């Protein structure tokens, strides 16, 4: 009897999100896989690589091999799954997504989707984050290309092993409204941010703010060969970026030493 290939799935859009349902359906089309889902009970977009340390967390069964984590983050989901569900044998792969919206450039540091993959590679488990670029003014969302892409990538991982070093994960972004596209290996671009926030007042005159969605604006990075994730998406390609958790600015170490001396 063939041993099942164990895949742990999480996301940051919440357990009811269309993207995670599409991801699970796609993975279940592969042969000899066992998919386990542990996802936040509520949307946790832009929560970053955060753990919940100030209150207890609880798994709530949704269906077979599918759990929501009450008020948990994607990092919590992976961390606790390894302690409570996979304590005897780790999953073979972790896939986080399919995120509703892009995760490119420095947005990766905000991303709960990326954080799920980050936590996976911290525990030496091959991990993938996948996101579907969308127009939020018309968010119909077709995940068909994302589904086909993740099946191809997971199949390659199974056949040829995970292609990255320790503490590195794959960050995949799927172009908007595209039925087919070539894959491009990219680097993370430089995102241009604003401080957009909308002020509102309640009936008592108290002020509160909604943080706005930044437009997808990027700037060129000097001296880099190849294509950035944003350029790939702009030109209609699937962007695949290897991300490492080491945040050391190696090129500045000598400059810093000279400054210190």
């Amino acid at each position: 009897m063939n041993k099942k290939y164990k895949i742990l799935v999480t996301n940051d859009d919440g357990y009811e999100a269309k993207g995670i349902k599409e991801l699970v359906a796609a993975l279940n089309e592969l042969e000899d896989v066992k998919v386990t889902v542990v996802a936040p009970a509520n949307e946790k977009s832009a929560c970053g690589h955060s753990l919940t340390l100030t209150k207890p967390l609880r798994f709530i069964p949704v269906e077979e091999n599918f759990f929501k984590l009450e008020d948990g983050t994607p990092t919590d989901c992976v961390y606790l799954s390894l302690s409570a569900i996979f304590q005897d044998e780790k999953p073979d792969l972790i896939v986080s997504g399919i995120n509703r919206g892009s995760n490119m450039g420095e947005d990766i540091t905000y991303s709960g989707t990326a954080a799920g993959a980050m936590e996976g590679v911290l525990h030496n488990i091959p991990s993938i984050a996948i996101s579907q670029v969308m127009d939020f003014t018309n968010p119909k969302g077709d995940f068909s290309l994302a589904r086909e892409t993740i099946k191809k990538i997971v199949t390659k991982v199974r056949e040829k092993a995970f292609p990255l070093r320790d503490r590195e994960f794959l960050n995949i972004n799927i172009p908007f409204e595209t039925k087919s596209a070539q894959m491009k290996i990219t680097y993370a671009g430089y995102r241009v941010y604003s401080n957009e926030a909308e002020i509102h007042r309640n009936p008592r005159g108290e002020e509160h703010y909604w943080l706005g969605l930044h437009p997808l604006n990027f700037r060129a990075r000097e001296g880099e060969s190849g294509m950035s994730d944003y350029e790939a998406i702009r030109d209609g390609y699937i962007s695949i970026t290897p991300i490492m958790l080491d945040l050391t600015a190696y090129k500045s170490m000598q400059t810093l030493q000279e400054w210190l001396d």
Side-chain angles (χ1 to χ4, degrees):
M1 184 175 181
N2 291 336
K3 184 178 179 182
K4 296 284 187 180
Y5 187 79
K6 301 180 300 299
I7 303 176
L8 172 62
V9 167
T10 193
N11 75 346
D12 72 356
D13 290 328
Y15 78 102
E16 295 181 300
K18 182 179 179 182
I20 198 168
K21 294 176 181 177
E22 295 276 357
L23 173 59
V24 171
L27 295 174
N28 279 326
E29 292 174 5
L30 301 174
E31 292 185 4
D32 297 321
V33 300
K34 180 182 178 182
V35 178
T36 302
V37 181
V38 181
N42 309 106
E43 182 174 351
K44 293 291 182 177
S45 295
C47 67
H49 193 196
S50 59
L51 278 171
T52 301
L53 302 177
T54 57
K55 57 187 174 183
L57 298 166
R58 184 165 67 99
F59 290 100
I60 301 174
V62 177
E63 55 188 61
E64 187 178 3
N65 297 320
F66 195 132
F67 305 86
K68 61 180 179 179
L69 194 63
E70 189 172 29
D71 204 31
T73 67
T75 304
D76 292 328
C77 291
V78 173
Y79 185 97
L80 288 178
S81 294
L82 299 181
S83 298
I85 299 174
F86 294 97
Q87 67 269 41
D88 296 326
E89 190 174 23
K90 290 181 179 180
D92 299 296
L93 181 69
I94 292 172
V95 184
S96 184
I98 302 168
N99 187 65
R100 180 173 169 266
S102 64
N103 277 305
M104 301 184 291
E106 291 88 351
D107 278 358
I108 296 166
T109 64
Y110 289 109
S111 169
T113 303
M118 289 180 188
E119 190 63 23
V121 296
L122 281 179
H123 297 277
N124 300 313
I125 301 167
S127 300
I128 301 167
I130 181 167
S131 303
Q132 172 64 64
V133 180
M134 287 190 174
D135 177 1
F136 283 92
T137 63
N138 183 27
K140 294 180 181 179
D142 182 354
F143 291 91
S144 58
L145 181 57
R147 287 179 57 144
E148 292 306 309
T149 300
I150 196 62
K151 287 195 293 183
K152 289 178 182 177
I153 294 297
V154 170
T155 299
K156 279 192 172 293
V157 171
R158 293 179 72 178
E159 292 176 349
K160 302 174 67 175
F162 196 62
L164 303 182
R165 298 176 297 180
D166 289 347
R167 303 202 176 195
E168 295 180 352
F169 68 93
L170 291 175
N171 186 50
I172 302 174
N173 281 274
I174 306 296
F176 180 59
E177 288 188 338
T178 304
K179 297 299 182 184
S180 63
Q182 293 181 339
M183 300 180 189
K184 288 284 186 181
I185 306 303
T186 61
Y187 62 85
Y190 280 167
R191 182 76 188 273
V192 177
Y193 291 97
S194 62
N195 288 101
E196 183 180 351
E198 293 185 3
I199 186 170
H200 296 264
R201 291 178 177 83
N202 67 20
R204 296 184 179 182
E206 296 169 329
E207 295 180 353
H208 59 273
Y209 292 86
W210 280 102
L211 300 187
L213 285 173
H214 304 292
L216 281 179
N217 292 329
F218 286 77
R219 66 179 175 86
R221 182 188 292 187
E222 299 297 330
E224 291 287 350
S225 59
M227 179 179 283
S228 72
D229 47 13
Y230 171 72
E231 291 169 320
I233 291 298
R234 179 198 63 194
D235 295 344
Y237 294 108
I238 297 165
S239 168
I240 303 181
T241 309
I243 300 295
M244 64 180 183
L245 272 60
D246 183 352
L247 300 180
T248 307
Y250 288 100
K251 293 180 180 179
S252 296
M253 289 178 66
Q254 183 60 38
T255 301
L256 180 60
Q257 184 64 57
E258 293 170 359
W259 172 83
L260 190 62
D261 294 341

